[in-house]
């Protein structure tokens, strides 16, 4: 992940996090210093043999294996770190050197996914675990020092009252042979999602307005013969059991996003759609009876390509003037 892209992603997360109340406890200059410290330190990593270490900040984003140590200089009551890996990786988290007072209200919680503006990625519908099993609470669990994500993003929340209290977080990335529920690090690229004989929903989330081009789609059933753009309620593909849908919205929970198009037939040609939203999603729904596969490309929309808002129109629900 390049420094420029990481800057853009981190600033986007700061913007969203401010709306959920995390950044109110961070001084503006500290947040800015933390961003550029993060970027400059990451550039110093020279080889895979190098053990990367740096301080962890109250609001942070981690995209590198290594050890990150937080020591409170004052009460920090609402802190979070977003962790992201490559699409084909999952994340292992481990706590060590923990010195917090759980009885005084301190806590450290690891989460399997991301939480932004009160919304969760992956959504309840797309994650294999119930919500309570996606949290690992250091203060209430005997196994509260380790956590492993189901996808390429994870998160840690913490609250510490006493100065000089803190912990060290070890981040390690592991290979995932069948990536599912991916948060893209980049506003442009290509990807293939494959779901072999498993009843599961997989989303590829791009937190930018993009043009999506489906280049190949292989499904177990053929229920329709046309792309169905801009419909709020569907009667065809959603009942087929195996289909792909394109979603758009300004949050991260796919169950709360708007349907842009749905496809439930195999294709080897080109189908494309522009989604002028903060978040654009390609979602593969599988019944478990077949091997389903979707390949697509995506690119960032330029300002001039963003749709203009029209009153009483569902066509441009995420339009930006």
């Amino acid at each position: 992940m390049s420094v420029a892209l990481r800057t853009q992603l981190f600033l986007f997360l700061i913007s969203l996090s401010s709306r959920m109340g995390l950044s109110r406890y961070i001084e503006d200059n500290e947040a800015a210093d933390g961003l550029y410290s993060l970027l400059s330190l990451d550039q110093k990593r020279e080889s895979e043999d190098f053990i990367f270490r740096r301080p962890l900040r109250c609001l942070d984003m981690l995209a590198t294996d290594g050890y990150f140590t937080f020591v409170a200089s004052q009460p920090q009551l609402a802190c979070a770190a977003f962790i992201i890996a490559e699409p084909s990786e999952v994340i292992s988290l481990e706590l060590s050197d923990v010195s917090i007072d759980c009885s005084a209200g301190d806590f450290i919680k690891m989460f399997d996914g991301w939480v932004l503006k009160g919304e969760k990625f992956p959504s309840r519908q797309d994650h294999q675990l119930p919500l309570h099993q996606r949290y690992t609470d250091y203060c209430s669990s005997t196994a509260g020092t380790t956590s492993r994500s189901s996808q390429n993003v994870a998160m840690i929340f913490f609250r510490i009252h006493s100065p000089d209290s803190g912990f060290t977080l070890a981040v390690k990335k592991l290979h995932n042979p069948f990536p599912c529920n991916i948060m893209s690090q980049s506003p442009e690229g290509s990807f293939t999602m494959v779901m072999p004989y498993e009843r599961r929903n997989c989303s590829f989330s791009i937190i930018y307005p993009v043009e999506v081009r489906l280049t190949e789609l292989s499904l177990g059933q053929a229920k329709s013969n046309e792309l169905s753009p801009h419909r709020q309620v569907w009667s065809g593909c959603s009942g087929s059991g195996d289909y792909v849908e394109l979603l758009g919205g300004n949050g991260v929970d796919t169950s709360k996003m708007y349907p842009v198009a749905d496809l439930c037939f195999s294709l080897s040609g080109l189908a494309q759609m522009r989604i002028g939203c903060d978040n654009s999603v390609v979602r593969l729904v599988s019944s478990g009876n077949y091997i389903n596969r979707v390949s697509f490309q995506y690119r960032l929309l330029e300002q001039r390509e963003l749709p203009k808002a029209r009153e009483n129109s569902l066509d441009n629900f995420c339009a930006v003037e």
Side-chain angles (χ1 to χ4, degrees):
M1 186 181 187
S2 71
V3 171
L5 289 177
R6 185 169 303 167
T7 302
Q8 187 174 0
L9 179 57
F10 189 75
L11 290 173
F12 178 85
L13 292 176
I14 287 178
S15 174
L16 289 183
S17 298
S18 66
R19 288 175 243 171
M20 55 189 260
L22 286 174
S23 64
R24 75 181 66 175
Y25 298 99
I26 304 175
E27 295 295 331
D28 290 341
N29 60 342
E30 181 182 357
D33 290 345
L35 170 62
Y36 294 108
S37 174
L38 162 65
L39 299 177
S40 61
L41 282 171
D42 188 60
Q43 287 178 296
K44 295 178 183 178
R45 185 177 182 182
E46 296 178 354
S47 73
E48 292 299 323
D49 296 329
F50 177 74
I51 300 177
F52 186 70
R53 299 177 184 271
R54 74 162 175 84
L56 182 70
R57 294 182 176 266
C58 181
L59 180 61
D60 216 332
M61 188 188 76
L62 311 177
T64 306
D65 288 6
Y67 293 86
F68 305 88
T69 300
F70 182 82
V71 178
S73 59
Q74 60 184 6
Q76 299 284 9
L77 304 183
C79 297
F82 301 89
I83 303 104
I84 189 167
E86 295 297 326
S88 60
E89 296 175 327
V90 293
I91 301 165
S92 170
L93 302 177
E94 183 174 2
L95 297 171
S96 62
D97 301 325
V98 180
S99 59
I100 66 172
D101 188 352
C102 296
S103 63
D106 293 355
F107 66 77
I108 305 173
K109 296 181 181 181
M110 293 173 281
F111 182 69
D112 185 2
W114 274 2
V115 180
L116 287 168
K117 297 191 295 183
E119 296 186 5
K120 297 172 179 63
F121 178 86
S123 68
R124 291 171 181 258
Q125 290 86 344
D126 290 353
H127 204 284
Q128 291 182 304
L129 297 176
L131 185 59
H132 71 275
Q133 291 185 19
R134 295 169 64 181
Y135 286 94
T136 302
D137 190 339
Y138 171 82
C139 289
S140 62
S141 172
T142 56
T145 60
T146 61
S147 178
R148 180 169 171 171
S149 72
S150 304
Q151 62 289 311
N152 76 322
V153 291
M155 196 170 184
I156 182 169
F157 306 88
F158 54 98
R159 172 188 296 166
I160 299 178
H161 290 82
S162 301
D164 299 325
S165 297
F167 61 92
T168 293
L169 176 69
V171 176
K172 185 177 181 181
K173 300 173 189 175
L174 307 171
H175 178 65
N176 182 11
F178 291 105
C180 181
N181 296 324
I182 298 122
M183 185 72 72
S184 177
Q185 295 188 10
S186 171
E188 56 185 39
S190 61
F191 197 74
T192 297
M193 283 192 293
V194 180
M195 186 46 56
Y197 299 111
E198 187 174 355
R199 184 180 179 86
R200 191 177 182 187
N201 304 331
C202 291
S203 294
F204 190 95
S205 183
I206 312 158
I207 49 177
Y208 306 91
V210 297
E211 179 184 78
V212 177
R213 297 186 177 188
L214 300 183
T215 56
E216 182 183 358
L217 178 59
S218 176
L219 297 171
Q221 295 175 317
K223 295 291 185 180
S224 178
N225 58 5
E226 64 179 28
L227 183 67
S228 308
H230 307 309
R231 289 188 295 166
Q232 188 177 20
V233 180
W234 311 322
S235 59
C237 286
S238 60
S240 69
D242 298 272
Y243 60 97
V244 165
E245 58 183 351
L246 302 182
L247 303 172
N250 295 325
V252 295
D253 188 333
T254 54
S255 68
K256 300 178 180 179
M257 298 175 72
Y258 294 94
V260 179
D262 60 322
L263 297 91
C264 44
F265 64 97
S266 297
L267 64 85
S268 57
L270 180 68
Q272 68 183 51
M273 183 66 58
R274 292 179 180 179
I275 307 175
C277 299
D278 288 346
N279 193 12
S280 309
V281 170
V282 179
R283 185 169 181 258
L284 175 63
V285 178
S286 297
S287 65
N289 298 322
Y290 310 95
I291 298 176
N292 292 327
R293 174 189 179 100
V294 58
S295 298
F296 54 92
Q297 302 170 349
Y298 55 100
R299 68 170 182 85
L300 181 68
L301 291 178
E302 298 179 12
Q303 187 65 35
R304 61 179 176 79
E305 296 178 294
L306 292 173
K308 300 299 182 181
R310 294 199 297 262
E311 287 189 27
N312 301 320
S313 172
L314 293 175
D315 291 347
N316 296 305
F317 45 79
C318 290
V320 178
E321 285 287 7

